[in-house]
Amino acid sequence: MRRAVCPGSFDPVTNGHVDVIARAAALYDELVVAVLVNPGKAGLFDVAERMALLREAVVDLPNVTVDSFEGLLVHYCRDRGIPVIVKGLRAVGDFEYELQMAQMNRELAGVETLFVPTAPQVGHLSSSLVKQIARFGGDVSSLVPKAVNDRLVAQSRERQQP
């Protein structure tokens, strides 16, 4: 069985993430989308919310599961017998950083990395930009899955209430 993991913070998941996940899911028998737990960083959504939003976003991909991890990704891979990490690339800057990570992951644990360039229509998306636009009341409905947009709109309403 060909297995891979697609890791990230997914805070929040965007249509760019979903594009990479769907394309990677077509290449592997099982794709685990793994949400990084970073205790030192407060996200917009907690890990449980991010996982729930991801599950809803990939509901039509039967070979995709959602999990979380803390610590080194290569330890997660080793403990679960996952030999490949899938990473989406938006631009050259992403490649430079991700190449170093890929080389280190191979050195540490023999885990390979597959780079998937994002589709042009979603290559500009990032969770940080989506959060910033939403925080200032901008419409992100075309940038994120419906469940994420609904949750961002609800958060905006909560902030506006005295």
Side-chain angles (χ1 to χ4, degrees), residues 67-87:
D67 197 6
S68 64
F69 75 99
E70 190 171 345
L72 290 178
L73 177 60
V74 291
H75 291 165
Y76 178 90
C77 291
R78 180 197 61 214
D79 294 346
R80 287 157 185 80
I82 299 174
V84 178
I85 298 168
V86 175
K87 298 295 290 201

Side-chain angles (χ1 to χ4, degrees), residues 4 6 40 57 59 87 119 134 144 158-159:
C6 185
V59 72
K87 298 295 290 201
V144 296
E158 292 167 10
R159 281 194 303 271

Side-chain angles (χ1 to χ4, degrees), residues 13 16 23 30 36 75 79-80 87 89 97 104 112 114-115 133 136-137 139-140 146 148 150 156 159:
V13 60
R23 290 168 53 213
E30 179 186 1
L36 171 63
H75 291 165
D79 294 346
R80 287 157 185 80
K87 298 295 290 201
L89 297 178
Y97 173 77
M104 186 59 71
E112 295 292 348
L114 172 72
F115 295 125
I133 293 165
F136 290 103
D139 179 11
V140 296
K146 183 180 180 331
V148 173
D150 292 347
S156 179
R159 281 194 303 271

Side-chain angles (χ1 to χ4, degrees), residues 27-44:
L27 300 173
Y28 292 93
D29 299 315
E30 179 186 1
L31 180 69
V32 179
V33 178
V35 178
L36 171 63
V37 176
N38 185 346
K41 186 175 178 186
L44 179 62

Side-chain angles (χ1 to χ4, degrees), residues 65-130:
T65 59
V66 177
D67 197 6
S68 64
F69 75 99
E70 190 171 345
L72 290 178
L73 177 60
V74 291
H75 291 165
Y76 178 90
C77 291
R78 180 197 61 214
D79 294 346
R80 287 157 185 80
I82 299 174
V84 178
I85 298 168
V86 175
K87 298 295 290 201
L89 297 178
R90 293 172 296 190
V92 172
D94 287 349
F95 177 74
E96 291 174 356
Y97 173 77
E98 294 297 346
L99 178 62
Q100 288 180 319
M101 294 297 294
Q103 291 168 332
M104 186 59 71
N105 289 336
R106 188 162 189 271
E107 175 78 17
L108 289 173
V111 177
E112 295 292 348
T113 301
L114 172 72
F115 295 125
V116 177
T118 56
Q121 62 270 26
V122 292
H124 62 287
L125 295 180
S126 74
S127 294
S128 298
L129 286 174
V130 165

